[in-house]
Amino acid sequence: MHLKRQAAATNLPIKRKGTTYIARALSNPYNSVPLLIALRDMLKLVKTRKELEKMIKLNLLKINWRIARDYRDSINIFNILEADKKYILTILKTGRFAFEEATSSDRLCKVTGRKLLSGGKIQLNLHDGTNLLSNDKINIEDSVYLSQENKIKKHLSLEKNVKVFVMSGKYKGFRGVVSGLDKKKVVAKLKDKEEPVELSAFQLIAYD
């Protein structure tokens, strides 16, 4: 399945003029990057889809430690892409996606939902579509760092003095520190902003 270039989300760093259609991510297409665009247009590691498909056949690419199987595989914010190096997907202050070289193999995720399963088990729903079981006291809007085995290595609550990254809205791509909380409203001092900014908790992800 493909997407018309002119209908693509503005956060994709692609040229607005070119072929009529571009690759469409298999999931969360307006808030993720398909593998083809990541390697061809952003990282410049391949020139064509054919070159990418050769890499896929050779099991040379991984997303979140799993072997990539399709040129349309989705890469969400803070997901880890393994190609020639390990990369993490982030957002610039311009609102566009970008890759940074990863300094850790642990993956940062935001908890967006909790579900009680039979037997009293708690399922955590994460921002990138991942689900996992945990008996730890972890709330919606908290953050977790996952190991390569998808085990929780660290848990961060959204609270005062915690560092945060803005994932959506007017200040998307900014980093800052929480200076105050009021229910679902968070006041954060953002880098390069003189005055503290009020944001919704769902816009933020706490990080270490």
Side-chain angles (χ1 to χ4, degrees):
M1 185 180 294
H2 290 73
L3 179 71
K4 279 194 173 182
R5 183 178 293 270
Q6 295 302 318
T10 56
N11 53 19
L12 278 181
I14 58 172
K15 295 178 180 179
R16 289 295 140 180
K17 291 185 178 180
T19 57
T20 302
Y21 295 96
I22 62 171
R24 179 188 177 98
L26 290 175
S27 62
N28 199 18
Y30 294 100
N31 283 294
S32 66
V33 176
L35 187 60
L36 176 60
I37 288 177
L39 265 74
R40 184 190 61 195
D41 302 281
M42 298 173 69
L43 296 173
K44 312 294 185 184
L45 296 179
V46 300
K47 293 182 179 180
T48 65
R49 173 178 147 185
K50 189 174 181 179
E51 288 181 15
L52 173 58
E53 288 179 334
K54 286 182 180 179
M55 295 181 73
I56 291 173
K57 287 180 180 179
L58 293 171
N59 296 336
L60 296 177
L61 305 171
K62 293 182 180 179
I63 300 172
N64 298 334
W65 318 297
R66 293 185 178 182
I67 294 173
R69 298 297 185 191
D70 194 298
Y71 71 92
R72 299 164 297 172
D73 280 349
S74 302
I75 306 168
N76 291 274
I77 184 170
F78 296 120
N79 281 180
I80 295 174
L81 169 65
E82 295 181 55
D84 60 326
K85 301 175 183 178
K86 288 187 178 71
Y87 300 93
I88 184 171
L89 184 66
T90 186
I91 303 175
L92 302 176
K93 290 179 182 178
T94 58
R96 288 198 160 194
F97 284 122
F99 281 101
E100 297 176 352
E101 190 171 342
T103 57
S104 170
S105 292
D106 298 336
R107 173 163 60 104
L108 176 62
C109 292
K110 180 183 177 72
V111 179
T112 57
R114 283 167 50 96
K115 185 177 181 180
L116 180 63
L117 304 179
S118 58
K121 295 181 180 178
I122 300 294
Q123 176 181 284
L124 301 180
N125 310 121
L126 307 182
H127 80 278
D128 62 358
T130 304
N131 298 319
L132 57 88
L133 299 178
S134 175
N135 292 321
D136 297 334
K137 190 176 180 180
I138 299 175
N139 299 314
I140 296 174
E141 311 298 354
D142 287 357
S143 300
V144 291
Y145 280 92
L146 302 182
S147 68
Q148 294 188 30
E149 295 76 30
N150 272 347
K151 302 294 184 182
I152 296 174
K153 292 190 67 175
K154 192 167 188 177
H155 162 226
L156 294 173
S157 297
L158 191 59
E159 56 189 15
K160 194 172 181 180
N161 297 323
V162 167
K163 291 186 288 187
V164 289
F165 182 90
V166 186
M167 300 173 69
S168 63
K170 180 180 178 181
Y171 297 104
K172 180 165 56 177
F174 278 77
R175 297 175 187 266
V177 177
V178 174
S179 57
L181 294 133
D182 180 17
K183 295 182 179 180
K184 289 294 183 180
K185 292 294 182 182
V186 179
V187 178
K189 181 65 177 72
L190 302 181
K191 189 177 181 181
D192 300 329
K193 291 291 178 184
E194 293 184 3
E195 299 295 329
V197 174
E198 187 178 90
L199 298 157
S200 297
F202 78 87
Q203 294 178 292
L204 303 171
I205 184 169
Y207 73 96
D208 192 6

